[in-house]
């Protein structure tokens, strides 16, 4: 709820990311099934279904698809901190060009550190003040809230219920 997926989506869809080709986005979830994830990545890159049943041929095709290319891959909502599974999954991507990027979103810092010990960015909760500013912008649009002092109790309730989470807001 702090905006990990939203931030990754902004990066993925940003004009600067157009310099990456191919680009792929895969939702991983709790089940870190390397075959399923690899097939999803391949399907995202090739825009066609993959009916292969074994990991090795899928990874060979993935390697061919990214070889020498500057790719961008987003693995969204990763839960597994199993280093050997991560090493197996990323093996085909070592063939990519310098400057290729893999972005991982996760709720768990241990997962982020397993996947990239040098590049972990933790998103913080919004301050009470920022929660209120965003709420006012969307709820009241052009209304001058300063002329409505009775909104203080609403402000306190909104801020308390959101707990700093943009998704809750």
């Amino acid at each position: 709820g702090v905006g990990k997926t939203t931030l990754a989506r902004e990066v993925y869809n940003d004009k600067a990311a157009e310099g990456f080709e191919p680009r792929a986005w895969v939702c991983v979830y709790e089940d870190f099934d390397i075959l399923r994830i690899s097939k999803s990545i391949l399907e995202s890159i090739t825009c066609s279904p993959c009916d292969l049943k074994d990991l090795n041929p899928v990874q060979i095709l993935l390697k061919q698809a990214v070889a020498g290319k500057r790719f961008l891959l987003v693995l969204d909502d990763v839960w597994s901190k199993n280093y050997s599974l991560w090493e197996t999954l990323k093996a085909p991507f070592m063939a990519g060009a310098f400057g290729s990027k893999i972005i991982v979103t996760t709720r768990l810092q241990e997962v982020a550190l397993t996947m990239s010990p040098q590049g972990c960015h933790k998103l913080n909760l919004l301050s009470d003040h920022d929660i209120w500013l965003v709420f006012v912008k969307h709820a009241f649009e052009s209304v001058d809230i300063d002329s409505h002092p009775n909104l203080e109790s609403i402000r306190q309730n909104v801020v308390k219920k959101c707990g700093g989470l943009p998704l809750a807001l």
Side-chain angles (χ1 to χ4, degrees):
V2 294
K4 299 173 295 295
T5 298
T6 301
L7 179 59
R9 188 178 304 116
E10 288 294 319
V11 170
Y12 187 84
N13 292 324
D14 190 87
K15 190 149 186 76
E18 291 174 2
F20 292 92
E21 190 59 42
R23 294 187 304 159
W25 181 293
V26 173
C27 296
V28 176
Y29 309 116
E30 290 184 56
D31 177 26
F32 201 88
D33 179 336
I34 298 172
L35 177 60
R36 178 188 60 80
I37 297 166
S38 296
K39 286 173 67 169
S40 294
I41 296 168
L42 183 61
E43 290 172 346
S44 182
I45 289 172
T46 63
C47 297
S48 60
C50 176
D51 295 327
L52 297 171
K53 305 286 186 230
D54 295 316
L55 179 61
N56 193 51
V58 173
Q59 287 202 313
I60 289 170
L61 290 175
L62 268 177
K63 184 176 181 178
Q64 292 170 350
V66 301
K69 298 177 183 171
R70 190 169 168 249
F71 67 85
L72 173 62
L73 170 61
V74 175
L75 299 174
D76 188 32
D77 201 16
V78 177
W79 288 75
S80 175
K81 52 190 169 210
N82 184 321
Y83 186 75
S84 64
L85 291 177
W86 169 238
E87 285 295 307
T88 302
L89 178 67
K90 77 175 186 176
F93 302 103
M94 304 311 285
F98 181 78
S100 295
K101 301 291 179 196
I102 299 176
I103 298 171
V104 176
T105 68
T106 181
R107 297 176 189 193
L108 306 172
Q109 188 169 356
E110 295 170 75
V111 172
L113 293 172
T114 296
M115 297 189 154
S116 181
Q118 70 274 29
C120 179
H121 301 283
K122 184 174 180 178
L123 297 181
N124 295 316
L125 299 176
L126 294 177
S127 69
D128 290 355
H129 176 74
D130 289 339
I131 284 281
W132 182 243
L133 288 178
V134 173
F135 179 78
V136 165
K137 179 181 177 185
H138 291 282
F140 296 107
E141 291 183 11
S142 60
V143 174
D144 177 20
I145 63 155
D146 292 332
S147 63
H148 299 283
N150 58 335
L151 291 178
E152 181 58 27
S153 65
I154 293 173
R155 184 189 75 75
Q156 290 174 2
N157 286 332
V158 167
V159 167
K160 181 180 178 183
K161 284 188 179 190
C162 290
L165 294 171
L167 186 59
L169 178 61

